Amino acid sequence: TCDDGNIVPSDGCSLTCMTESGWICVGVGPGSCNPVCGDGIIIATYEVCDDLNPVSGDGCSNVC
């Protein structure tokens, strides 16, 4: 379901080219996967919070 050009897990695209939970992948190559803000899954080093919504001012910003 994805191909980010490497076989490194935990970057959105697994070593078997499957999109990992908490990520969305569009296109091919490096940078094709990004964490989803508002899904309740905190992706370390990319998000410091994720409160199940994309609204700022409730303890977590709209960019998590």
Side-chain angles (χ1 to χ4, degrees):
T1 60
C2 59
D3 189 348
D4 62 356
N6 67 54
I7 56 170
V8 178
S10 302
D11 65 351
C13 188
S14 73
L15 64 101
T16 58
C17 295
M18 299 301 293
T19 303
E20 297 171 316
S21 293
W23 295 82
I24 187 167
C25 300
V26 178
V28 176
S32 60
C33 296
N34 294 292
V36 176
C37 181
D39 64 354
I41 301 170
I42 296 174
I43 304 297
T45 71
Y46 295 95
E47 300 174 314
V48 294
C49 61
D50 196 322
D51 61 356
L52 291 171
N53 70 66
V55 179
S56 290
D58 64 352
C60 186
S61 75
N62 65 340
V63 293
C64 295

